Amino acid sequence: MSDPVTALDGQSITGQITIADAGPTGMVTLRANFASATVMTGLVDVGLVVPDANQIASGDGTTTLWMSPDEVMILCDYDDAEAQAQSLGDALASAHALAINVSDARCVFRLTGQGGAIRDVLAKLSPADLRPSALPVGMVRRTRLAQVPVAFWFSSDTDATLICFRSVGGYVFDLLSKVSEPGSAVGYFG
Amino acid sequence: MLILSCPYCGVACDETELQPGGEAHLTRFGPDASDADFEGYLFRRKNPRGVHFERWRHAYGCGKWFHAARHTVTLEVFGTYPAQVTEPPPDILDAIAAKVPGWEPSS
């Protein structure tokens, strides 16, 4: 079996913030009608908690992101993704639902920085409201970063994760590196 | 800059996160329609100077289609609502009536 390789292959750069490839990450996308009793019973059986709108639910080694009213994404260890998708598929076999391993479809970035530096850097590229009151820790925001769709969320004030499609991983890395160059700090978020 | 709240996820979306879908609440005329009705469905848009009902898609977010009511002169947004309706909901009409005296929904 060949080793998983991410689009950025472990690159990282430090400017105002540190932008690093988070490495191979397991991602399972689940589309289903979460208002359906059949679906919810199946999800209880596998122990998956569906987060509220725009929120993140953390479970046993997994993080579940709310993506849309009928879609969630489960982040897990790269090696567990296939089993995770399989167990979800089995649990929802009687419902109209789809669980699929999309680990290699996206690129995951880890952003670390002090103060409001991460929010400042993201605000240069995205129209999202990045005030801590509008995007608190534990909330996921799907939005646009320059010309491409991304999603990001804060795990703490100094630590954020950003995901984008694999094909634009290099573009997103270049963008983030450019706007976090030393000397270009905005300082709006402190 | 136009900011619309997506009624499905509640996110305040910037215009650039959305895909415009043109006039809302059109009656679709299909294969058995007259040429005049089909032409009207395809091409004839009201485009008044004032209150518009529009379709938008939250393309960079949850991906859902929704409707928005807004004023093209004052740029005021009266509200957004889910797309599974054939006419604007009463609360949107009330909000428009309160702000635009004499406005009548056109059929």
Side-chain angles (χ1 to χ4, degrees):
Chain A
M1 196 61 190
S2 50
D3 292 331
V5 176
T6 61
L8 294 174
D9 205 10
Q11 284 184 80
S12 84
I13 190 167
T14 300
Q16 292 165 47
I17 64 171
T18 299
I19 300 140
D21 179 8
T25 306
M27 283 174 263
V28 175
T29 192
L30 169 65
R31 287 203 94 132
N33 176 8
F34 298 121
S36 144
T38 322
V39 169
M40 292 318 283
T41 315
L43 293 182
V44 168
D45 291 345
V46 291
L48 183 79
V49 178
V50 177
D52 292 337
N54 303 309
Q55 301 296 309
I56 295 169
S58 295
D60 183 23
T62 64
T63 304
T64 309
L65 309 176
W66 189 91
M67 301 295 273
S68 86
D70 56 1
E71 182 181 355
V72 293
M73 190 181 325
I74 300 135
L75 304 172
C76 57
D77 283 346
Y78 188 87
D79 295 331
D80 294 343
E82 200 58 52
Q84 183 83 247
Q86 191 67 48
S87 73
L88 279 168
D90 293 345
L92 299 177
S94 61
H96 180 58
L98 178 73
I100 196 162
N101 175 8
V102 292
S103 303
D104 295 315
R106 287 182 178 81
C107 217
V108 183
F109 293 82
R110 184 142 185 263
L111 312 177
T112 45
Q114 293 305 307
I118 303 174
R119 289 179 191 272
D120 273 337
V121 165
L122 290 175
K124 284 187 187 181
L125 296 165
S126 163
D129 188 346
L130 280 146
R131 287 171 303 162
S133 56
L135 185 70
V137 170
M139 186 172 181
V140 62
R141 178 70 153 90
R142 294 181 74 180
T143 181
R144 176 177 68 82
L145 201 75
Q147 299 184 40
V148 296
V150 298
F152 46 71
W153 63 94
F154 285 82
S155 326
S156 74
D157 288 338
T158 56
D159 191 347
T161 310
L162 182 145
I163 56 175
C164 66
F165 286 112
R166 183 187 184 106
S167 56
V168 294
Y171 171 75
V172 168
F173 185 79
D174 290 348
L175 275 178
L176 289 168
S177 326
K178 185 69 187 171
V179 299
S180 88
E181 276 180 356
S184 69
V186 176
Y188 181 74
F189 291 108
Chain B
M1 195 67 82
L2 180 62
I3 295 176
L4 299 174
S5 287
C6 171
Y8 295 98
C9 57
V11 165
C13 318
D14 182 77
E15 186 179 346
T16 57
E17 291 176 86
L18 303 169
Q19 178 195 338
E23 186 178 322
H25 308 304
L26 295 178
T27 303
R28 182 176 184 276
F29 287 94
D32 295 327
S34 69
D35 284 355
D37 281 345
F38 189 59
E39 185 207 7
Y41 164 63
L42 275 187
F43 302 115
R44 307 244 172 224
R45 296 293 175 264
K46 298 190 191 89
N47 197 23
R49 186 171 172 276
V51 177
H52 276 227
F53 296 96
E54 294 171 330
R55 300 170 73 230
W56 291 89
R57 191 173 87 90
H58 191 186
Y60 282 86
C62 68
K64 302 297 177 199
W65 282 99
F66 63 91
H67 289 168
R70 66 185 188 97
H71 198 290
T72 53
V73 177
T74 64
L75 300 184
E76 178 171 3
V77 177
F78 301 112
T80 55
Y81 49 102
Q84 287 77 23
V85 291
T86 51
E87 56 187 36
D91 58 322
I92 298 283
L93 295 176
D94 291 347
I96 299 170
K99 289 286 176 60
V100 189
W103 177 81
E104 291 281 335
S106 54
S107 56

